[in-house]
Amino acid sequence: MSTEQNARRTTEQIGTTRLGGDGPEVGVQGLGCMGMSMAYGPTDADAARATLERALELGVTLYDTADMYGSGENERFLAPFVRAHRDEIVLATKFGVVLDPDDPLARGVRNDAAYVRTCVEQSLRRLGVETIDLYYMHRRDPQVPLEESVGAMGELVREGKVRHLGLSEVTGSELRAAHAVHPIAALQSEWSVFSRDVEENAVDAARELGVAFVPYSPLGRGFLTGSFSDADKELTHDDFRRHQPRFTGANAAANARLLEPLRDVAAAHGATPGQVALAWVQQRQTVHGLPVVPIPGTRRPGRVEENTAATRITLTEDELALLEPIAARVTGTRYADMSLTSAGRD
């Protein structure tokens, strides 16, 4: 590699931050890998593999998957990349969501100790590793005490099967209760200029406890990029966004009109609306005073380049004020059934 190429690569690389007080150091933006195996219609395996490699070149080191993504296929898909770069990346996976083979839209939740242990062993085998860097409880079952589920996760840390613990879609009070059982490095929940319910209490709890926040769907599942405006009319039949209320029918039409300020700010920066949406999320770190590492998902190398470039955009106070009212005006919920989200239990 020439001196000029080295300089360009250094300029392109994103900065780093730490997940939690004793958590791993990671790039300030991660990569959500779910769409490489499920949810968003047909995928190209070669392009997805190139995306993983390009992300690493750009300084993305946190790679996020889950056992339910493609019923284990996403973990299997990531395995060769993970093993090839084991010392360079931070591998995150999750347990807790149970799929129904007879109904692809149905979701159950299990958090009991026996299930925790079964899931981690299966994930380790699929990924071909001895240790998972960050192990999340994907969804919370209120019927299982946190002392049991987080206690079982803590045992995995002591056994060396897991390095750090995370939780997804828990409330502020649940995060505090879990952290009292075992230190939590990261809280993952949906957070974007379109979805801000976590600011009610989860963000404050994370800051108080020294827990990093990992926003998923920071691009509103592509809606904020303008890649689609009506899921029913524009997306394939197997795309699960067709089942999310805010992306269809009258909701979609109303929400598409909310994107005008995003486009205006993007034009002022010579950027894309998606980059401004990501810059907004990245600046939550300054606004709320805690590490924030969004994990936008993509299957294309060019999109990773666009996403990581957003880490170099700083929005002004006036621009932030333009974007501030958007979330309160969004119509339609994040999911048809919100019971598995923190907002559904707040």
Side-chain angles (χ1 to χ4, degrees), residues 15 195 317:
S195 301
E317 291 299 321

Side-chain angles (χ1 to χ4, degrees), residues 85-323:
H85 301 286
R86 192 65 193 96
D87 296 333
E88 302 171 78
I89 71 169
V90 173
L91 171 65
T93 191
K94 315 178 199 69
F95 79 93
V97 175
V98 181
L99 300 178
D100 183 344
D102 298 321
D103 183 354
L105 296 179
R107 300 286 186 270
V109 180
R110 279 190 66 180
N111 294 166
D112 57 278
Y115 190 68
V116 173
R117 187 161 292 278
T118 295
C119 288
V120 77
E121 296 293 349
Q122 292 174 345
S123 287
L124 288 168
R125 282 197 297 273
R126 284 191 291 262
L127 289 160
V129 298
E130 295 181 354
T131 306
I132 293 165
D133 299 312
L134 178 60
Y135 199 45
Y136 286 102
M137 184 171 74
H138 203 166
R139 290 293 187 269
R140 162 98 166 101
D141 178 1
Q143 303 305 312
V144 177
L146 284 165
E147 290 78 9
E148 177 179 346
S149 50
V150 178
M153 294 168 72
E155 290 178 6
L156 301 179
V157 175
R158 288 187 286 275
E159 294 169 10
K161 295 177 179 178
V162 169
R163 290 193 174 94
H164 305 281
L165 302 186
L167 301 173
S168 180
E169 288 285 0
V170 298
T171 67
S173 59
E174 289 169 338
L175 177 60
R176 290 186 178 93
H179 196 74
V181 177
H182 189 282
I184 304 297
L187 169 59
Q188 180 178 141
S189 289
E190 186 165 353
W191 196 10
S192 73
V193 71
F194 249 40
S195 301
R196 299 179 61 179
D197 51 80
V198 294
E199 294 174 27
E200 293 294 324
N201 64 59
V203 171
D204 286 344
R207 182 184 63 251
E208 292 165 13
L209 298 170
V211 174
F213 211 103
V214 178
Y216 72 81
S217 298
L219 293 171
R221 301 190 187 278
F223 194 82
L224 296 174
T225 70
S227 62
F228 75 99
S229 58
D230 188 314
D232 280 338
K233 296 177 181 178
E234 301 171 53
L235 303 181
T236 58
H237 70 91
D238 55 347
D239 194 307
F240 96 114
R241 289 171 292 186
R242 290 166 59 99
H243 304 282
Q244 293 185 290
R246 61 179 48 174
F247 300 141
T248 58
N251 287 344
N255 292 336
R257 291 192 289 270
L258 298 177
L259 301 183
E260 193 61 35
L262 204 64
R263 289 191 286 268
D264 290 342
V265 174
H269 283 268
T272 66
Q275 286 177 317
V276 171
L278 281 173
W280 183 92
V281 176
Q282 301 277 177
Q283 277 181 246
R284 298 304 92 189
Q285 174 159 325
T286 301
V287 172
H288 293 280
L290 78 169
V292 176
V293 183
I295 49 169
T298 185
R299 302 174 290 194
R300 292 183 289 166
R303 188 68 78 182
V304 168
E305 293 168 1
E306 177 184 331
N307 291 347
T308 53
T311 66
R312 297 186 286 277
I313 296 174
T314 300
L315 304 179
T316 67
E317 291 299 321
D318 287 344
E319 289 167 341
L320 292 173
L322 281 176
L323 304 178

